Amino acid sequence: MTLDHPHPVDAAAVDASRSATLDPEAAEQLRQLLVLLCDTVRLRALFALRATDELCVGDLALVLDISQDQSSYALRQLRAAGLVRTRRDGRVVYYRLADAFPHELLDHCLRELLAISGGEDLP
């Protein structure tokens, strides 16, 4: 791409920004992950799982005061995205955050975003 704008352009800044931006495929993958976080049940489920080692569908439903169907659906979507993993003990399936889950995202970034937007502090 050429830099033939009718106004002055900082070519070094353009090059630096271009090399730091996401390619379209990575941006789409990130968009899909962020869409998962746009659902209050899924977002709350991640925070609940952060607070403990693991929870089954029924326990998460109790924590979030939702139905087991809602809990199961949210966990299934988070698992499909690779954000949580499972462990089976007989007929009970337990969910936990994936080993490589960026805990800092929940602990800092999302809390800071909420504070910046004028929301209440999270527990």
Side-chain angles (χ1 to χ4, degrees), residues 36-92:
L36 283 173
L37 298 179
C38 289
D39 178 79
T40 56
V41 172
R42 291 187 297 260
L43 186 58
R44 293 178 67 217
L46 291 175
F47 276 96
L49 290 171
R50 175 68 174 112
T52 187
D53 287 337
E54 60 187 14
L55 292 168
C56 68
V57 169
D59 288 348
L60 181 65
L62 288 172
V63 169
L64 301 181
D65 195 27
I66 59 175
S67 71
Q68 287 193 20
D69 285 344
Q70 288 174 296
S71 175
S72 177
Y73 183 68
L75 289 168
R76 188 169 45 250
Q77 290 178 305
L78 293 170
R79 182 178 182 208
L83 299 180
V84 299
R85 62 186 196 129
T86 61
R87 175 182 70 84
R88 182 176 292 277
D89 185 9
R91 293 178 46 180
V92 179

Side-chain angles (χ1 to χ4, degrees), residues 8-19:
V9 172
D10 183 342
V14 169
D15 286 341
S17 292
R18 185 176 289 145
S19 67

Side-chain angles (χ1 to χ4, degrees), residues 1 7 24-25 28 37 49 54 65 76 87 94 100 105 117 120:
M1 181 178 290
H7 55 81
E25 294 82 19
E28 175 59 20
L37 298 179
L49 290 171
E54 60 187 14
D65 195 27
R76 188 169 45 250
R87 175 182 70 84
Y94 292 93
L105 177 71
S117 69
E120 297 180 17

